[in-house]
Amino acid sequence: MRWALIALCIAVDATAFAQTPPAGGHVTGDADFADAPVPRQREQADRRAARNLKILQRIGALPPASELAQVPVNDLQWPLRPVPGFDQFDYHGTKYFVDHDPRYPGFVQDYTCGTRTYDLASGYNHAGTDYYLWPFAWLMMDQGVVQVVAAAPGTIIEKDDGNFDRQCAFDGTSAANIVYVRQDDGLTAIYMHLRKGSLTTLPVGARVAAGDYLGLVGSSGQSTGPHLHFELRDANGAVVDPRHGECNAGPDRWAVFQPYEDPHIDTLSTHSAEPDQIACGVVNGANVDDAANYKSVFAPGDTLWVFASWRDQRNGEVTNFSILRPDGSIFEQWDFDLASQNLPSPFYSGTAFDWQYALPANAPAGEWQFKAVFEGQTYVRTFEVSVIDAASAAHARSQIGTNATRCRPASGQALPGCSP
Ligand SMILES: [Zn+2]
């Protein structure tokens, strides 16, 4: 037994690699992806929603209350969905939860009695949960790659579109693009900060199923970055936190349980130059986006930037990275621990770091792998090294089509999504 333990220790030790400091990085700070409704705008929207609800009830356009009682509480589906073709592992971080401490300012308590929430001197206690786009939030918002979808079946009782969506500040005037859904469970779901012009064409009074499109993630209203503020209210207008915990006696309402900390790698990618994550999508009045500098086809001798983004990363959670040649041999291998960055907090809801390597002149052509192992999960992103120049290789690939094999089955029948 003793020998077995020693052998195990050696085996574990053998998987630890030297830490290579990142060339650069970015973590989500307190002020990033924060929000607050403008009281006047929100009161007006609430009033319109209440009025529409009354009208819809009067004309019998909502399910009767006797049916509502039958709806289970754990019926909420995930309110975000990437568009078809989105090829990263994930696309979001979770920033702020509901503040259960009615005092303000500076008295905060999330559902676990932790502090991942906020309040303001104005008396606002954060009333929803914020899911932000990560790691290139403004680029992802402008590309429209993440949709907001209904979390539960219900009826649209209010919507407001056309409001500016790159404010980046709490200026006291910016109205948010917003959708209210009176759910069949009797709660009202409020989807806030949607992208300008992206709201569903369904009118007030229309029915939606769970998963139906409501709009795109945006940053309209008082919002410092693209995110969805998802809020639930009961029939009396009281805030409902869909997460159960020591500081929220209410039931967990998610169909799939969402942990308080959910450490994952969101993205792995390769780049021609260091990616630049921007704080605000406007500079000097002009719209700007994150400079991702994506590149997937390299030539021997090129500079290779590799980039990883995480959600809910904590000091001590080690990521093991490797870059593998086409034959599976190791080109580079290193470990990364957030603790190495000596940051003010041991935990961040969103983190991103990059490393720079020079591909040698004799780098073998073929499909390489950028691989990460984090919290027991393996993530792989492939890239190509081509002996012909990168532009020609990309052109050749586009002519062949990456789905060429899948799209030409032996039966000769075209598969869905394939040209005949
Ligand atoms: Zn919020």
Side-chain angles (χ1 to χ4, degrees):
M1 192 59 201
R2 196 172 165 188
W3 284 108
L5 275 175
I6 290 167
L8 182 68
C9 290
I10 291 167
V12 169
D13 202 39
T15 61
F17 304 103
Q19 293 220 24
T20 304
H26 191 97
V27 297
T28 302
D30 288 348
D32 299 327
F33 309 107
D35 60 11
V38 174
R40 192 162 156 271
Q41 188 243 346
R42 184 55 195 273
E43 283 161 21
Q44 288 173 347
D46 285 352
R47 253 201 309 276
R48 287 195 302 270
R51 192 182 58 221
N52 291 337
L53 179 65
K54 268 201 188 112
I55 294 169
L56 292 165
Q57 282 170 329
R58 201 181 310 141
I59 63 173
L62 286 170
S66 57
E67 281 181 26
L68 299 186
Q70 309 303 315
V71 177
V73 292
N74 59 337
D75 63 342
L76 292 181
Q77 304 293 319
W78 185 241
L80 298 171
R81 179 174 61 208
V83 294
F86 182 81
D87 73 343
Q88 283 293 356
F89 312 111
D90 215 317
Y91 48 79
H92 86 284
T94 304
K95 187 69 189 294
Y96 291 123
F97 298 108
V98 172
D99 180 14
H100 288 273
D101 191 327
R103 297 171 297 168
Y104 61 89
F107 296 93
V108 295
Q109 192 172 65
D110 66 32
Y111 70 104
T112 71
C113 311
T115 57
R116 286 176 69 178
T117 182
Y118 74 92
D119 59 14
L120 298 174
S122 63
Y124 176 68
N125 294 296
H126 191 237
T129 307
D130 294 331
Y131 301 108
Y132 61 90
L133 301 185
W134 191 247
F136 301 117
W138 292 95
L139 181 64
M140 293 164 76
M141 166 180 148
D142 285 334
Q143 289 176 333
V145 292
V146 182
Q147 301 176 342
V148 175
V149 298
T155 305
I156 295 174
I157 58 169
E158 168 61 10
K159 63 173 195 173
D160 187 15
D161 198 352
N163 297 303
F164 186 55
D165 55 9
R166 308 174 97 91
Q167 193 62 44
C168 307
F170 287 13
D171 66 350
T173 60
S174 304
N177 301 318
I178 195 166
V179 177
Y180 288 61
V181 175
R182 173 70 164 197
Q183 297 180 172
D184 293 350
D185 61 8
L187 303 179
T188 297
I190 299 160
Y191 303 82
M192 204 156 64
H193 308 300
L194 307 186
R195 197 177 98 177
K196 183 180 177 180
S198 76
L199 264 61
T200 173
T201 55
L202 291 173
V204 168
R207 294 279 303 161
V208 289
D212 277 0
Y213 175 90
L214 298 178
L216 293 173
V217 175
S219 192
S220 56
Q222 291 196 127
S223 163
T224 62
H227 73 286
L228 169 68
H229 169 103
F230 176 73
E231 179 177 324
L232 292 171
R233 298 267 177 176
D234 70 14
N236 299 316
V239 174
V240 172
D241 186 344
R243 291 173 178 241
H244 171 79
E246 215 169 302
C247 283
N248 179 35
D252 191 288
R253 294 178 180 273
W254 292 100
V256 176
F257 176 74
Q258 297 172 42
Y260 185 58
E261 283 185 25
D262 188 22
H264 272 81
I265 284 182
D266 273 3
T267 68
L268 292 180
S269 46
T270 54
H271 306 258
S272 58
E274 185 167 37
D276 185 18
Q277 295 169 271
I278 58 171
C280 180
V282 175
V283 172
N284 298 327
N287 289 2
V288 292
D289 270 326
D290 308 87
N293 301 319
Y294 286 122
K295 182 176 177 175
S296 59
V297 182
F298 295 81
D302 275 358
T303 297
L304 165 71
W305 286 87
V306 292
F307 174 91
S309 69
W310 296 253
R311 67 168 183 265
D312 290 354
Q313 191 183 20
R314 181 171 282 285
N315 283 358
E317 295 170 347
V318 175
T319 307
N320 171 229
F321 286 109
S322 48
I323 298 173
L324 306 175
R325 299 183 189 93
D327 66 1
S329 63
I330 293 162
F331 171 66
E332 292 286 348
Q333 196 157 40
W334 71 101
D335 280 347
F336 177 69
D337 183 341
L338 188 65
S340 67
Q341 301 303 296
N342 298 312
L343 296 166
S345 169
F347 170 85
Y348 289 89
S349 68
T351 51
F353 292 94
D354 55 58
W355 290 263
Q356 180 187 14
Y357 292 101
L359 290 170
N362 63 351
E367 189 177 88
W368 291 49
Q369 291 188 358
F370 172 37
K371 183 174 156 186
V373 180
F374 178 64
E375 295 299 284
Q377 283 207 53
T378 300
Y379 304 82
V380 177
R381 163 80 30 193
T382 59
F383 62 97
E384 193 176 327
V385 172
S386 174
V387 289
I388 57 172
D389 67 274
S392 303
H395 178 72
R397 274 156 50 94
S398 73
Q399 296 299 300
I400 295 163
T402 50
N403 290 331
T405 308
R406 190 167 64 80
C407 286
R408 289 179 181 78
S411 67
Q413 295 293 307
L415 294 173
C418 298
S419 304

